[in-house]
Amino acid sequence: MRTLYPPIEPFASGHLDVGDGHHIYWERVGTPGAKPAVFLHGGPGGGIAPDHRRLFDPDRYDVLLFDQRGCGRSTPHAELEANTTWHLVNDIEQLRRLAGVEQWLVFGGSWGSALALAYAQTHVDRVSELVLRGIFTIRKQEIEWYYQQGASRIYPDKWERFVAPIPEAERGDLLHAYRRVLTGDDRAAQIAAAKAWSVWEGETIRLLPDDALSASHEADDFALAFARIENHYFMHGGWLKEGQLIRDAAKLRHIPGVIVQGRYDMACPAETAWALHKAWPEARFEMIEGAGHAYNEPGILDALIRATDGFAK
């Protein structure tokens, strides 16, 4: 089983003014001038973490990682204005030009897989390879499964904590009910709702519980950006037509790709990855038995490292 590469620090970092008042934090790791890659984190609103740097061989890659609009070290924090899928697609292009590369490998997991697909389908000539994990395409059925009815039946105890900030009469449409609180003027209620939203994901993305992961989702700043931005994107369907990312997968057929999916992924059920596989059969498809959603579960991590190593050759 392959595991993460050793810890590494960036050789360059900074903030890029992408317009609309947003400044994007970015960093580069590995070997300057080596094979270019960009890492797209999940959420949306999750931000990058030091372990994300370790998914690539530092001797063979020059990887750019960045915090998407409104989260992590990007500013302004938890901002929803001028924050859409297409703003992020344009940000990736600005960062590519900053890196000075014509093409790069695009790596995305969870929401990052949706953003990677949107970017690749818009800028097909800029993508050398795609590595996708825990496939999410923002279809209505995917949102309803995780935030209305579906995963709730697997985790009824955790679901009770998720719906607790919402009055019972408003629970028939949890996305709208949460938006009302998350964008309201009551700061205490906003934080309580953000934590409930964020911890729900932190407690359900691994096959087995991980107390440290759950605790990290409860921090005020992380939870606020995570919940507000996720809810904002999901309320608007990612500013995509229903089923668009799978429908347009034919645009990727000349791009080498790997799709990695945990069999027991509760956040992004395997049927979405399977639909993408059927629409893009040229990509290698790996269904990981005994795994959930998180990138660092053993079988998933092994497949991801093998993928980045394989494309480095």
Side-chain angles (χ1 to χ4, degrees), residues 2 5 34-37 55-57 60-62 104-108 127-132 252 254-260 280 282-286 303-313:
R2 298 303 309 279
Y5 280 95
K35 180 177 178 63
L55 290 159
F56 306 84
D57 182 343
R60 296 189 289 176
Y61 275 97
D62 177 348
W104 49 6
L105 178 148
V106 179
F107 184 118
V127 180
S128 57
E129 301 92 8
L130 277 165
V131 178
L132 306 177
L252 312 175
H254 68 288
I255 300 175
V258 175
I259 301 167
V260 178
W280 183 27
E282 294 82 4
R284 186 170 83 245
F285 181 78
E286 296 200 35
L304 294 175
I305 300 292
R306 284 190 288 103
T308 56
D309 279 357
F311 287 136
K313 298 175 182 177

Side-chain angles (χ1 to χ4, degrees), residues 54-134:
R54 303 170 61 193
L55 290 159
F56 306 84
D57 182 343
D59 292 329
R60 296 189 289 176
Y61 275 97
D62 177 348
V63 187
L64 187 146
L65 307 91
F66 70 102
D67 290 322
Q68 295 160 27
R69 293 189 181 207
C71 66
R73 283 169 280 187
S74 293
T75 59
H77 182 71
E79 179 58 62
L80 305 183
E81 290 296 320
N83 194 344
T84 73
T85 302
W86 304 113
H87 285 101
L88 299 185
V89 166
N90 289 336
D91 292 349
I92 297 169
E93 271 295 273
Q94 290 196 55
L95 290 162
R96 182 189 60 79
R97 291 190 288 269
L98 174 73
V101 299
E102 290 297 311
Q103 284 189 320
W104 49 6
L105 178 148
V106 179
F107 184 118
S110 192
W111 154 253
S113 71
L115 182 56
L117 289 168
Y119 174 75
Q121 291 170 10
T122 305
H123 299 285
V124 290
D125 295 336
R126 300 305 184 187
V127 180
S128 57
E129 301 92 8
L130 277 165
V131 178
L132 306 177
R133 185 270 310 167

Side-chain angles (χ1 to χ4, degrees), residues 109-311:
S110 192
W111 154 253
S113 71
L115 182 56
L117 289 168
Y119 174 75
Q121 291 170 10
T122 305
H123 299 285
V124 290
D125 295 336
R126 300 305 184 187
V127 180
S128 57
E129 301 92 8
L130 277 165
V131 178
L132 306 177
R133 185 270 310 167
I135 307 305
F136 178 57
T137 63
I138 328 183
R139 295 177 298 173
K140 290 179 182 177
Q141 68 199 59
E142 299 169 49
I143 300 297
E144 289 177 357
W145 161 266
Y146 201 47
Y147 294 104
Q148 194 61 50
Q149 187 176 90
S152 59
R153 298 181 179 183
I154 311 299
Y155 297 107
D157 50 340
K158 302 177 193 300
W159 183 254
E160 280 192 10
R161 296 193 288 273
F162 174 66
V163 300
I166 304 301
E168 193 166 349
E170 298 179 30
R171 293 177 186 173
D173 186 346
L174 286 164
L175 280 188
H176 279 85
Y178 257 101
R179 181 173 179 82
R180 178 183 59 77
V181 182
L182 291 170
T183 60
D185 297 327
D186 186 333
R187 177 72 174 180
Q190 204 178 44
I191 293 293
K195 287 185 176 184
W197 178 289
S198 182
V199 170
W200 161 247
E201 184 159 330
E203 289 190 333
T204 56
I205 60 174
R206 289 185 66 90
L207 183 62
L208 297 175
D210 183 332
D211 291 341
L213 181 62
S214 299
S216 71
H217 278 66
E218 199 169 9
D220 287 7
D221 284 351
F222 177 88
L224 191 62
F226 191 76
R228 277 172 54 86
I229 296 171
E230 277 202 339
N231 178 271
H232 173 64
Y233 271 68
F234 301 162
M235 279 283 300
H236 292 90
W239 298 270
L240 297 159
K241 294 180 180 178
E242 179 69 8
Q244 176 178 336
L245 296 179
I246 292 174
R247 182 200 69 201
D248 290 350
K251 295 180 179 180
L252 312 175
R253 290 194 151 174
H254 68 288
I255 300 175
V258 175
I259 301 167
V260 178
Q261 177 68 35
R263 170 75 73 183
Y264 302 110
D265 187 334
M266 289 296 113
C268 300
E271 66 174 356
T272 302
W274 187 251
L276 180 62
H277 166 55
K278 300 293 284 186
W280 183 27
E282 294 82 4
R284 186 170 83 245
F285 181 78
E286 296 200 35
M287 183 76 81
I288 309 301
E289 300 293 347
H293 181 69
Y295 78 93
N296 52 3
E297 296 193 44
I300 293 175
L301 184 58
D302 172 68
L304 294 175
I305 300 292
R306 284 190 288 103
T308 56
D309 279 357
F311 287 136

